[in-house]
Amino acid sequence: MTRPARILAAAAIIVAITIVCPILTTASSSLGWASSKARPSSSIAEQIKPLTVQASESLPPLTNPDLVCATCHQAIYARYEQTPMAQGSGPADTNLIPGAFRHTPSNIDYRIFLRDSTPYMSFSRDGNPPLSGERKLLYFIGSGRRGRTYLYRSDTQWFELPINSYTRRNTWDMAPAFDAVTSMPAVLPTDPNCLHCHATDVQPSLPTARNRFAAEPFRQGGIGCSACHGDPTAHLAQSGHGPILNPNKLSPAKRDSACIQCHLEGDAVVYKPGRSLAQFRPGEDLAATAVYFIRASHQAGAAPNQAGAAPNQSGAARATSQYEALLRSACKRATGDRLTCTTCHDPHSTPAPAERVQFFRARCLACHTSPKLAATHHPEQPDCALCHMPTRPTTDISHEQLTDHDIESRPTHLQTLAASSDLDKLVTVGGVPATEAEYGMAYAQLAAHGNAAYAREALRLLTHAASLQPDQAPLAPEAEVQLAYLRQRDGHPTQARANYINVLRQLPYEPTALANLGVLDASTSNLAESLRLLNRLIDADPSHTAAGLNLAFIDCSIGRKQDAQAILKRLADINPDDPQLRIFQTQGTYAGQHCALTIP
């Protein structure tokens, strides 16, 4: 349903040392946490002050400030409340979608149900190894028009279920990318940047973790009026006669940004320093918040396969964002800034199924005004989109494009690109300017899928960008953590260590820096500092299983077996079916080494 948070998948890189074989954590590319300066110290972990927030037992009810808009705009409000955007999120017990299924590859039974009017998801496996548990569901994400999933809370951390309801299939199944997993997937942290496109008044994350919130993660269900019209305070203060933002009266870039803040994804996105999508406000140019990149071949309309997949012969397209496809269309190229999303779409309503064909045909004929065209161009088929904007299956999932916004005069099967280690150069969507560091961060994101050419290009760009920065203006921490990780991967631990320390001075809880600096310290037998760093990370965010396993193995290896057992229990509470965790708990084996957890 939602795009996975941009913490790249962990890479199992074993660092050969005598006490522990830690696993390296890949770099994050989507931070947006609060930063704080700290004085230099011989121990970076000692600079980080503990931050503790207790989870409240109950959550305040969601609000609906748009009701005041309805007093003057009743018809618009009533229509909009029926749209998928307005219904994009809310309390989990609102129209709960119950269901159950068995996921065959993992042999796990999942069930969504109500107990005493409270919604839950349960999971269980009768076979070996046994598994059972449940999660109390608090909010839903997804209108249900195409699908829905739910959020749950662990302490003050919020997570998304690994399963989704799929409306067209009328079934529950695994979330995208989890179809073939053989164990229960690792938890999916709830990211404010993802919530931004499903809810309103998304709350800022706490500094310790991007999915940790002081209370509820958002205060208004669905996409409210303020998402496009901004803060209504001045408007309401003058009884509706004060200023209110009308996106259609903005410059084209700012006008389009109101839509593409949620209808543009690209292959990689790089946020400006200190910015995140959750902070975007209508009236701004999205380019001041983030730069979106696509592979040059995608700009030409080719469809990639998933990494390692066989060439697709079905004509399926990647789930490109609507705006990205629209930029390629003949309509957009011919009309330029005059064509925008609302040229064809009414942002306040969705046409009923019986009205859909005529509604969009009228939009087409508003530009294609020839009477002959309307009367003689395939009069037997009034649905223009059926031929010129066909529905295509997708090769990837999140925010999948079902209706092809390329608007082709003669639609053809898209060319499919086989997975390759070659460098498919990146370009920015819409030709937005980007710095060398931003390009480097974008290549680093794509390198996480195993493409060595992207990794080399990312390292080259970020290294050169760092060399151009004066001492008083170093790389932004979001870029420097990427550079540190690439240098560590490339066999330059001293340089990587210096980068990680710089990052932690600005972002004290940055998880990649904490985890991998802990790896570097362990590899040089600086176990005391390694333990401080890894403990700091796991205390802040126990969902980092790889870092927690490193910590537990070090504790076990130096005789602190009870501490190791306590860490493993915390990890298992979050990720109960992690295979490495289970093997360590039951056999005392981790990363090819052995440490008995039991005390003789």
Side-chain angles (χ1 to χ4, degrees), residues 306-340:
Q306 297 290 350
N312 186 333
Q313 302 300 327
S314 67
R318 71 184 283 267
T320 184
S321 54
Q322 292 91 333
Y323 183 73
E324 180 187 325
L326 184 65
L327 291 178
R328 294 195 299 261
S329 69
C331 292
K332 181 66 172 175
R333 295 197 307 271
T335 59
D337 289 334
R338 287 181 296 152
L339 180 65
T340 186

Side-chain angles (χ1 to χ4, degrees), residues 259-283:
C259 296
I260 66 175
Q261 59 174 308
C262 291
H263 294 275
L264 171 61
E265 286 192 358
D267 292 313
V269 57
V270 174
Y271 295 105
K272 298 291 185 178
R275 297 284 294 172
S276 70
L277 185 60
Q279 298 170 325
F280 174 84
R281 296 295 179 266

Side-chain angles (χ1 to χ4, degrees), residues 95-252:
N95 299 320
L96 182 75
I97 303 175
F101 72 99
R102 167 166 288 190
H103 180 238
T104 301
S106 64
N107 199 30
I108 297 176
D109 291 304
Y110 293 95
R111 189 163 72 97
I112 300 289
F113 62 97
L114 281 173
R115 185 172 65 225
D116 298 329
S117 301
T118 300
Y120 289 89
M121 179 200 76
S122 67
F123 52 90
S124 61
R125 183 198 291 122
D126 294 333
N128 187 28
L131 177 71
S132 66
E134 62 183 26
R135 307 293 190 218
K136 180 180 176 181
L137 310 181
L138 295 171
Y139 296 116
F140 73 81
I141 298 293
S143 67
R145 180 181 178 185
R146 290 185 178 144
R148 177 171 290 179
T149 192
Y150 294 88
L151 305 183
Y152 66 93
R153 182 177 65 172
S154 175
D155 187 37
T156 57
Q157 286 190 276
W158 289 79
F159 300 98
E160 181 181 334
L161 292 184
I163 62 174
N164 284 350
S165 169
Y166 295 93
T167 302
R168 293 192 179 186
R169 292 161 53 189
N170 192 28
T171 187
W172 279 89
D173 207 338
M174 301 304 295
F178 293 150
D179 288 340
V181 296
T182 56
S183 60
M184 186 174 175
V187 290
L188 296 171
T190 301
D191 189 280
N193 292 331
C194 294
L195 287 179
H196 178 75
C197 292
H198 297 276
T200 304
D201 199 5
V202 175
Q203 297 301 290
S205 300
L206 296 175
T208 50
R210 74 182 190 278
N211 66 327
R212 195 179 288 277
F213 300 88
E216 72 276 27
F218 55 90
R219 291 180 175 170
Q220 180 182 354
I223 301 300
C225 301
S226 63
C228 297
H229 295 288
D231 186 349
T233 302
H235 185 65
L236 297 174
Q238 300 181 41
S239 301
H241 297 290
I244 191 72
L245 182 68
N246 181 345
N248 282 331
K249 295 182 179 181
L250 299 173
S251 66

